[in-house]
Structure formats: C-alpha cells, structure tokens
Amino acid sequence: MRRSFFCSHRTLFPRSPESYSPRGRMAPKTSIAEFRELVNKSNRILAVCGAGLSAASGLPTFRGAGGLWRNHEPTSLARPEAFADDPALVWLFYAWRKHMALRANPNRGHYALAKLAMKKDNFLCLTQNVDGLSVRAGHPDSKLRLLHGSILDLECFNKCGYIDRLNLNDPPCPALAAASEDYPPDQTMPLLDPNVPTPKIKVQDLPHCPECKTGLLRPVLCGLDDAMLKGIDDWIEQGPIDLMLEIGTSATVFPAAGYMHEAQNRGAVVAVVNPDPDSAGGLMPDDFFFQGSAAEVLPQLFEGVIGKTDENGDTAPN
C-alpha cells in the first residue's frame, strides 16, 4: 500500500461535496448512548492516538507558541543528524522527557483503551506518543503499535543490533542527573531555561552500548519501522473497518493522517475525542465528536464494554 505523506485526509479526501459547505453539512453525532451501541456491535476497530491522550497525565504536548525546549524545536532534536552533532544536548532533552514520563502515571483514558483492546479481538491502536504510558497501562503488545518509537527503549546508534526495551533508569546515567531534578512549581528548572548554560557533559560519560562497546545508546524514536508499517497495512487490508477512533490528535501528520483516510475508505465510522472544537471539522453526520479530555471521555464511551474504570485502571462490571 502506497501513501502520499503530505497532508491531512480531512483536507484532501472529503466523503461528499457537501463537506465543502459548512451550512450544508449536518453536525456529527454526540450521543454517548448511541456510540456505546456502535462500540458493542463493532468488530474491527482502529484507533489513532496523539499527545492529547497523555495531556491529562501532565506531559507537555510541545504545541503552540510555547512548544520549544531551550529554543529548540523538539522534532529537530529527534533527527539522527542532531544526535550525531551534539549527543549530550539531545540526551539531556530525552533524559528530561523520560523523567517526566516516568514521573507521570497512565490516566483513565490509557486504561480504558487497554481494557477495550482486551475485550475486542480485532482491535488495533496506533499511538504517536513516545512516553510509554500505553504500555504501562497494560495495553496488549499485539494490539499496540508505537508509530514513533518509545523513550523507554534504547538502541545502539551504531546499529549493531542491540536494543534495550523498557529501560526505566532515571537518570539514564550519572552524567545526566540534571535532567531528573525536581523543582517546586514556582521555580523554573535550570535545564529548561535557555539563559542558563547546559551542564558540561563528556561524550564518554553518556550511555554506551554494552554489546559493541563503542556505539552510543539513543532512545528508539521516529523510526517508522518498515516491518511495523507493513503489518499495519496488512491489518487494514484484511476487511472492512467498523470504527475509527481519533483520540487527542489533529490527524494532520503522516502516517497517522493516511490511516484515517484508509479507514474511511473501508467504511469506518469516525469518532473524534478532543478538547478542541475545530477537531470536528470534516466529520460527517454519521460520525461522532466528543469534546473533552480523553481521560474523562473514553471511560464513559467504553463503559458498556469494559465496565466502569477507576483512576488505577481497575474496572467493575455494569
């Protein structure tokens, strides 16, 4: 399956000419009861999750005017070239993000998705998040795909083949201790202040590969592994899709945006969960839109299948 990775399906692929006219288009559905019926009878369900899913856990989304780290675009630091140029700077950024992720806990939205995956045999969740919270919530590995990797997984930058899964070391090494410091809410962490110089770190003091002994370790991020992508394509092509869940994401970044379009082409009803009302743009009258936090909305939407979910992910039957 070939994709054109250049825009959101909502701009390029409206399902009818009416979608060009706001006045001529009915609003999507908002009935929780009606949606629960759909979830109950749905067989093949595809979910795509973004930063909004983890926002309730207290993790930054790096969006908007404040979406910078020490005046760096986070996406630029994810590039292999950035790591090759300044591995200490990149490691400080990821060590801080890892500390934030480990300090946070999965929220009720993570747990609700994990429980739904356990209940539905033909369920697949694609997450753009690298924080590891879906994994920690108990989401079955066979029904979860990490589109951009995980900050808890490490690999050898020399590509010797070494991979360390679910590494929970915080800090990753003594030289990166500054990234794991906690400060009161009214104080700015020095590492986050671009006016404060970063700690001087020698490359030899950064995490090294225990296998080849020479390569630096680096979080497994933004890999878009070909085998994983092929597996997702194979799952999509197996047959019609009953329900497409878009959770906490604008669905404008590929490959996620492409999967939305492919699900629609296979007959999926789309359900969007997002605090931003603009996220309903492009939805059709048979689709659903639920405005709010995924941590609050998802447990309500799936309650008919998974029961009531508490803050710890425990469920009680209806």
Side-chain angles (χ1 to χ4, degrees), residues 62-311:
F62 294 111
R63 290 181 181 271
L68 298 174
W69 183 82
R70 297 185 61 90
N71 294 330
H72 295 279
E73 288 283 354
T75 52
S76 69
L77 294 175
R79 296 166 54 247
E81 294 84 356
F83 189 82
D85 290 342
D86 195 342
L89 177 68
V90 174
W91 249 120
L92 280 169
F93 172 61
Y94 282 125
W96 170 73
R97 288 189 69 182
K98 182 178 183 181
H99 174 68
M100 295 289 290
L102 290 175
R103 192 176 66 173
N105 292 313
N107 60 57
R108 293 177 66 213
H110 294 106
Y111 287 122
L113 276 170
K115 297 294 183 182
L116 185 66
M118 296 175 191
K119 293 284 187 179
K120 293 287 185 177
D121 291 336
N122 294 312
F123 179 92
L124 185 62
C125 179
L126 316 178
T127 181
Q128 302 170 84
N129 299 332
V130 302
D131 50 46
L133 291 179
S134 291
V135 176
R136 289 169 56 197
H139 200 114
D141 290 343
S142 62
K143 299 178 182 179
L144 180 66
R145 300 292 181 271
L146 309 178
L147 293 180
H148 301 301
S150 170
I151 205 160
L152 304 182
D153 296 342
L154 304 177
E155 67 179 349
C156 178
F157 192 63
N158 282 358
K159 301 297 182 182
C160 77
Y162 177 82
I163 296 180
D164 182 9
R165 301 288 185 190
L166 283 178
N167 182 293
L168 303 180
N169 294 338
D170 183 26
C173 67
L176 297 169
S180 298
E181 296 176 352
D182 291 315
Y183 288 82
D186 60 342
Q187 294 185 26
T188 300
M189 184 180 187
L191 187 63
L192 303 184
D193 188 346
N195 297 313
V196 177
T198 58
K200 299 296 183 182
I201 299 175
K202 299 178 181 179
V203 173
Q204 58 263 35
D205 293 333
L206 292 172
H208 277 69
C209 177
E211 190 74 27
C212 68
K213 311 294 185 183
T214 57
L216 287 171
L217 291 179
R218 174 182 182 270
V220 181
L221 298 173
C222 294
L224 292 178
D225 178 76
D226 288 340
M228 177 186 66
L229 295 177
K230 183 180 184 305
I232 295 171
D233 289 342
D234 291 344
W235 187 94
I236 290 174
E237 292 175 353
Q238 286 175 9
I241 297 175
D242 301 307
L243 177 60
M244 174 81 231
L245 300 170
E246 180 188 307
I247 302 165
T249 175
S250 61
T252 58
V253 178
F254 280 89
Y259 294 133
M260 302 290 183
H261 169 53
E262 290 163 14
Q264 285 182 320
N265 278 349
R266 293 188 173 273
V269 173
V270 177
V272 173
V273 177
N274 202 306
D276 183 1
D278 292 338
S279 298
L283 293 180
M284 304 302 290
D286 289 336
D287 295 329
F288 289 82
F289 177 66
F290 300 100
Q291 185 177 357
S293 165
E296 299 175 358
V297 174
L298 293 183
Q300 298 180 57
L301 297 183
F302 304 154
E303 186 175 307
V305 175
I306 68 174
K308 294 185 178 181
T309 307
D310 63 20
E311 297 293 335

